[in-house]
Amino acid sequence: MFLSMATWPEIAQRLQDGKRGIIIPIGSHEQHGPTGLIGTDALCPDIIAREAEKQDDLLLAPPFSIGMAQHHMAFPGSMTLRPSTMIAAIVDWTASLTRAGFDRLYWINGHGGNVATIQAAFAETYAPYSLRGEAAPFAHMLKNWWELPQIERICLDFFPVGHGSHATASEVAVTYWAYPERASLGNVTLNPKIAPNGPIRDAADYRGRFPDGRIGSDPTQATAEIGGKIVSAAAKALITDANQFFAETHG
Amino acid sequence: MFLSMATWPEIAQRLQDGKRGIIIPIGSHEQHGPTGLIGTDALCPDIIAREAEKQDDLLLAPPFSIGMAQHHMAFPGSMTLRPSTMIAAIVDWTASLTRAGFDRLYWINGHGGNVATIQAAFAETYAPYSLRGEAAPFAHMLKNWWELPQIERICLDFFPVGHGSHATASEVAVTYWAYPERASLGNVTLNPKIAPNGPIRDAADYRGRFPDGRIGSDPTQATAEIGGKIVSAAAKALITDANQFFAETHG
Amino acid sequence: MFLSMATWPEIAQRLQDGKRGIIIPIGSHEQHGPTGLIGTDALCPDIIAREAEKQDDLLLAPPFSIGMAQHHMAFPGSMTLRPSTMIAAIVDWTASLTRAGFDRLYWINGHGGNVATIQAAFAETYAPYSLRGEAAPFAHMLKNWWELPQIERICLDFFPVGHGSHATASEVAVTYWAYPERASLGNVTLNPKIAPNGPIRDAADYRGRFPDGRIGSDPTQATAEIGGKIVSAAAKALITDANQFFAETHG
Amino acid sequence: MFLSMATWPEIAQRLQDGKRGIIIPIGSHEQHGPTGLIGTDALCPDIIAREAEKQDDLLLAPPFSIGMAQHHMAFPGSMTLRPSTMIAAIVDWTASLTRAGFDRLYWINGHGGNVATIQAAFAETYAPYSLRGEAAPFAHMLKNWWELPQIERICLDFFPVGHGSHATASEVAVTYWAYPERASLGNVTLNPKIAPNGPIRDAADYRGRFPDGRIGSDPTQATAEIGGKIVSAAAKALITDANQFFAETHG
Amino acid sequence: MFLSMATWPEIAQRLQDGKRGIIIPIGSHEQHGPTGLIGTDALCPDIIAREAEKQDDLLLAPPFSIGMAQHHMAFPGSMTLRPSTMIAAIVDWTASLTRAGFDRLYWINGHGGNVATIQAAFAETYAPYSLRGEAAPFAHMLKNWWELPQIERICLDFFPVGHGSHATASEVAVTYWAYPERASLGNVTLNPKIAPNGPIRDAADYRGRFPDGRIGSDPTQATAEIGGKIVSAAAKALITDANQFFAETHG
Amino acid sequence: MFLSMATWPEIAQRLQDGKRGIIIPIGSHEQHGPTGLIGTDALCPDIIAREAEKQDDLLLAPPFSIGMAQHHMAFPGSMTLRPSTMIAAIVDWTASLTRAGFDRLYWINGHGGNVATIQAAFAETYAPYSLRGEAAPFAHMLKNWWELPQIERICLDFFPVGHGSHATASEVAVTYWAYPERASLGNVTLNPKIAPNGPIRDAADYRGRFPDGRIGSDPTQATAEIGGKIVSAAAKALITDANQFFAETHG
């Protein structure tokens, strides 16, 4: 079930039935090297969550699709929220969803650069309750899709060399599976074959270190077929992981 | 062309070719009465923009899909940004896109409740330049899709009675065309047939005045077929309107 | 009755008598072309409200006199709040007045450029209630003085050509009536007689398009005499309109 | 000369003539005991500045009329900005005026409760320059009107007993002089004759300590006649003090 | 007792015993001329408070050690919070301490430049209560250490000439007493012997007026011995002053 | 060398000598179970950095001692900044230090709960440069002291069972070494011996899950002697790690 595609009485009924958990795909729009889509990090969690939704009675929020990507801004097409803006937005999403009665917010994330800001935002949503001495009427869970149970191992099995940490072979494969018309982007040879590694700082520094945008990866290994296998496994893992969180009682 | 589905070198090339305009669908997720989708206001501009993109060389940004909908919060499933948050987000989207080199940002909007905040946000993006005495290197255009040339008249021709101002017959029709599997939602009789009118204030006041969420509308008149005609006309109007803006020289 | 000129026991008494509505003149300080006063948009609603106060038992707040005028900043003497600042200020004015017990805030506005920000601010004041699931204990009404019932028609009857949209003939007339010692400013010929029209963006763009500051107007038509007639009609309209709002019950 | 009543070419000319100083009356709207006007602290600096303007070539900005008065909020009619809002507003006023070319901003203040926030705001306007290593192109001066040279002594000579620190005999006298129709408010006996003293904290605490709003004062001593003498002396002192500041060269 | 060095059950016990007052040393890190330590303004209140703690049952919070020092930023090593940041931080400190149950917060300050911002911050903490019509469950007291009863007189007795107002002889003496290994810094001759006086504005202006950082002082007079005497007197005064505040009942 | 204890000419000299790196201890004040000090997370990095400073020519900033600890607020004595406040403060620290000429900021952290907010703050400091297309003139490094090379292994060697993740045996040992007068706090038996594990959310949830404050630890194993060994190893590791960062050239 998709929040976007539901009516309000359908959502009211669902909440009345005690289904108070919701899954929120969260990602980013930023360069993903010469062969990856700018939307990769927003698309991956959405693709996986949609696959999961086909198999189980889950509710999906609209994707939070622009994230914290200041370090990618030297590559055209990248978009970013400042961390302070992203925190404010997550505070408002949380207030909206908990106002309706949702009490378990499961954020399935596609962008490593979002993690710190999302966790800071969670703390920002809890803080008013913690400072007033009240129990927060909701709980957050953040999960990077590649950290769903078993998934990192599966990805590395497919791509033991050059999986990388940005524009990874596996995330590019996931998007090629979902959008096969773009899979031919991978029919090139990149130079160097495997991108360098290094620290992440501001955008100018980033472009100096990683001239074509990749970090540590050879995404030309990505195929739609492998992407499909990753999506299939990740969707199953997401169903289990999210339902476990939704079933959890408050501490 | 979709920013989400492009690579950064493709965007770099497009900018180098002098195509510095971008279309940003902007909407909201909020109740749309018993027969309308929560995502209606985000879906409509996206549907129309996608139709336009099929017919012309336009670039579409990812949709800005959660807007200012505080007045709808008494209906579950509604989401809102506070105006101050939405302004901060639009400031960041603008900074990101203009950093890349886009200089004409055309926002095609699907939610009347967004208008004030979007225009305030535009002023917020211009203000630092205006206060420093520099020319802003970009210009915004905001257009509600129903105010594209001729479109309001077309909508009222289809629905001369009970078009309304929230959960309108025409916006519901647009979504039924795009998602025909949901068109059967309209096979009901609403009571009253045409919803009341009134002022918009806080959420409790809204629900008191408009118990099922609609304002002034009878959206059961909506059909996928009419929706298709509206989309077709609106897409053409959007192409003309946006290109005119992109061709404009700065004042 | 003027809040400025009252004592707190007088205000306490008024509230105890059930008179819980207040009128707040809101405007801006910005260039109004070669023949208009910088304070025009702050002065007009104040002049009209003061005239109304002579004829009816109304309470007037001090004027909110600096507004959102970033686009005028290339003309010396113009002042602006950023939209985010203006929202914060309106939030505080609202909190102050509703703390005292006022529950109907009628904002009579003199500056078109304020409208979006004021409406965003209203939403900002309602949002905490809407997100907490409480009814807001107050309601706002925004009315541009030239949109008071009949007034636009009256203005256009006086100035069928060259009324314009900034530094309008009617607003300049209103100030000449109130400050006749400045009416001689209009004894000039402007070139062009009627100023051009166009979109409003940042300040540099504005000055490029509208070199002497006017938009679409020939304010040399303004006379104190016509101004007086407009004030007289607008004051009457304001009395009716505000009292209707004050008498309204919450939805 | 009043900014409100000037045209932009007049202001442009003034700046071109090298007159780059401006006087900004700043005050507050808050209870002033049973016999004082809510607008007292906004009115006093404006009254004095207008008197000064009659005698010298000074430029007056519109008054900044709502200040920091959180401690008065238990008395109806009081209004306040939170300090953070007031800082944002002063930042914008400063940016606006310095954008035009003013480089000496003289703030004549009527409300002790404003002082800390105004000085914090000054630092907020200087900080970006100080952190970037640039010289700020402007300087602020804050002066409470009762601290103009000699004025405090004059006030205490008139009211050696019960001058007080809120709703003072001298500020009430100034308003009675300017608005003699309200001078009869003072024809009462207050109990206690001289109000108590004490610390200032939140509004509930304030009302507990100072039940009728006054601190340390017996404002029934105020007369319009004394008020006129204070205004006359203060206006002269303001002329000297402001011009000295305007003539000062930057450090 | 030091909050830093206590366990939470010890603090819980202390609060249960009714000891609900806490002392917070607050200062700044900024240049203090050629012979003074950058930490002077943070160190002095901490030194005095620690001395007091040895003699009485006081609880000391960790020092708030970076303050508002934008005007010193042209001297390397200086650090500042913008006033808006410092207000946000004091709001959070206050919320944290009052959440635990402390209801008397005594801020012993070492930096004149902090005063305005601290007082604005106090108002910011009170304002939500004042605007909601609730009594704030806490009270603040701000005391500059040199304004503790008798201390200013003592300092001026030691340094009748060239005490100054920044990098004062007495504050430098206090640090020399606590850190005698740095007392030899004073074995120089400064030129001019006594630094000039003047207004405080932005950092570039400051450095122009006060080239070596001092204002009005000859800190070479400072000795560890005098410093010890000042600390001894100030610690006693602090004990009396703080306990008087802690014993005070709410208004 | 300590910034607090230096004069500005000493810092100016150091920067002129090309030593542009600085170490900033950053921690938190929050409950650390029945046997740990509230200041533990602020004290540990400071203790280690001070030990390192004895052995190498390092410059230490004053500690950033209050962090993000909203989840601990149900235990008296805990203090927190909201993430948004902490970001603003780190932005100002960064602006201050880079204004002076420092270009390598090494943050040695003692509190896991700070990590997300600190990294979000780093992004906030880089973002203006990244969005303007300029290279940031500085780089940050964040290192948790227990993640210095080898240190985690050393800690787990000392405490193979019940090291835990909050109020850990090793951090408590570090504080006992530095403050042996408090080491007797560990002479108790806790129940359960090893605290439970679980997720971290708001403060009420936290206290429900972890009734005495510890997570996963048995800190009664801590001794001053072991603490000394950890400090010694960590100080050496810090020297190497920080100097490596300071020597690094920008990407």
Side-chain angles (χ1 to χ4, degrees), chain F residues 197-236:
Chain F
N197 286 292
I200 291 180
R201 293 173 185 161
D202 62 285
D205 182 275
Y206 186 107
R207 187 145 187 179
R209 293 178 189 276
F210 316 111
D212 72 3
R214 296 171 297 145
I215 304 181
S217 73
D218 171 14
T220 63
Q221 304 173 83
T223 66
E225 192 194 351
I226 298 177
K229 290 177 183 166
I230 293 172
V231 170
S232 174
K236 278 187 183 54

Side-chain angles (χ1 to χ4, degrees), chain A residues 164-193:
Chain A
S165 61
H166 182 68
T168 67
S170 55
E171 67 187 354
V172 170
V174 166
T175 60
Y176 286 179
W177 173 77
Y179 302 97
E181 71 277 17
R182 300 250 67 193
S184 60
L185 281 168
N187 300 339
V188 294
T189 306
L190 297 178
N191 180 9
K193 190 168 175 48

Side-chain angles (χ1 to χ4, degrees), chain A residues 68 70 73 80 82-84 87 116-117 119-120 123-124 126-127 130-131 135-136 139-140 201-205 209 245 248 250-251, chain F residues 68 70 73 80 82-84 87 116-117 119-120 123-124 126-127 130-131 135-136 139-140 201-205 209 245 248 250-251:
Chain A
M68 210 307 293
Q70 65 81 23
M73 294 311 296
T80 191
R82 287 164 294 161
S84 51
I87 289 172
T117 299
Q119 285 177 334
E124 191 89 8
Y126 292 137
S130 297
L131 285 166
H140 292 292
R201 292 171 186 162
D202 62 285
D205 182 274
R209 293 178 189 275
F245 173 59
E248 191 191 300
H250 222 49
Chain F
M68 210 307 293
Q70 65 80 23
M73 294 310 296
T80 191
R82 286 165 293 159
S84 50
I87 289 172
T117 299
Q119 285 178 333
E124 192 89 9
Y126 292 137
S130 297
L131 284 166
H140 293 292
R201 293 173 185 161
D202 62 285
D205 182 275
R209 293 178 189 276
F245 173 59
E248 192 192 301
H250 221 49

Side-chain angles (χ1 to χ4, degrees), chain E:
Chain E
M1 192 178 192
F2 298 90
L3 192 74
S4 294
M5 305 300 294
T7 64
W8 75 260
E10 290 169 342
I11 297 298
Q13 186 59 55
R14 187 176 173 94
L15 285 161
Q16 213 170 319
D17 294 347
K19 297 174 186 169
R20 300 186 165 272
I22 188 165
I23 293 176
I24 309 162
I26 186 165
S28 174
H29 272 71
E30 82 215 12
Q31 67 82 17
H32 271 75
T35 68
L37 309 181
I38 287 171
T40 300
D41 286 356
L43 295 167
C44 287
D46 199 45
I47 291 164
I48 292 164
R50 286 172 174 271
E51 192 65 19
E53 191 272 344
K54 287 184 197 155
Q55 302 172 29
D56 195 32
D57 179 21
L58 300 170
L59 176 64
L60 266 55
F64 190 110
S65 58
I66 307 297
M68 211 307 293
Q70 65 82 23
H71 42 304
H72 294 291
M73 294 310 296
F75 296 89
S78 300
M79 299 179 69
T80 191
L81 300 180
R82 286 165 293 160
S84 52
T85 303
M86 190 167 177
I87 288 173
I90 291 175
V91 165
D92 288 2
W93 282 52
T94 300
S96 295
L97 294 172
T98 59
R99 165 73 181 89
F102 294 106
D103 65 3
R104 285 288 178 281
L105 312 188
Y106 184 104
W107 304 73
I108 178 81
N109 178 43
H111 176 52
N114 280 350
V115 172
T117 298
I118 294 173
Q119 285 177 333
F122 288 176
E124 192 88 9
T125 67
Y126 292 135
Y129 296 93
S130 298
L131 285 166
R132 278 199 305 267
E134 297 172 17
F138 59 87
H140 293 290
M141 169 75 80
L142 171 64
K143 191 64 58 99
N144 298 320
W145 69 258
W146 59 89
E147 291 178 348
L148 285 163
Q150 310 301 333
I151 299 305
E152 197 150 30
R153 197 188 46 72
I154 291 173
C155 291
L156 291 173
D157 281 353
F158 282 122
F159 309 109
V161 175
H163 179 268
S165 61
H166 182 68
T168 67
S170 55
E171 67 187 353
V172 169
V174 167
T175 60
Y176 287 177
W177 173 76
Y179 303 96
E181 70 277 17
R182 299 252 67 193
S184 61
L185 281 168
N187 300 340
V188 294
T189 305
L190 297 179
N191 180 8
K193 190 166 174 48
I194 297 181
N197 286 293
I200 292 181
R201 294 174 185 161
D202 62 286
D205 182 274
Y206 186 107
R207 188 146 185 177
R209 293 178 189 277
F210 315 111
D212 72 3
R214 296 171 296 145
I215 304 181
S217 72
D218 171 13
T220 64
Q221 304 174 82
T223 66
E225 193 195 350
I226 298 178
K229 290 177 183 165
I230 293 172
V231 170
S232 174
K236 277 186 186 53
L238 172 58
I239 290 169
T240 308
D241 202 54
N243 281 321
Q244 191 170 320
F245 173 59
F246 295 157
E248 193 191 300
T249 36
H250 222 49

Side-chain angles (χ1 to χ4, degrees), chain B residues 220-243:
Chain B
T220 64
Q221 305 174 81
T223 66
E225 195 194 349
I226 298 177
K229 289 177 184 165
I230 294 172
V231 170
S232 175
K236 277 186 186 53
L238 172 58
I239 290 169
T240 308
D241 203 54
N243 281 321

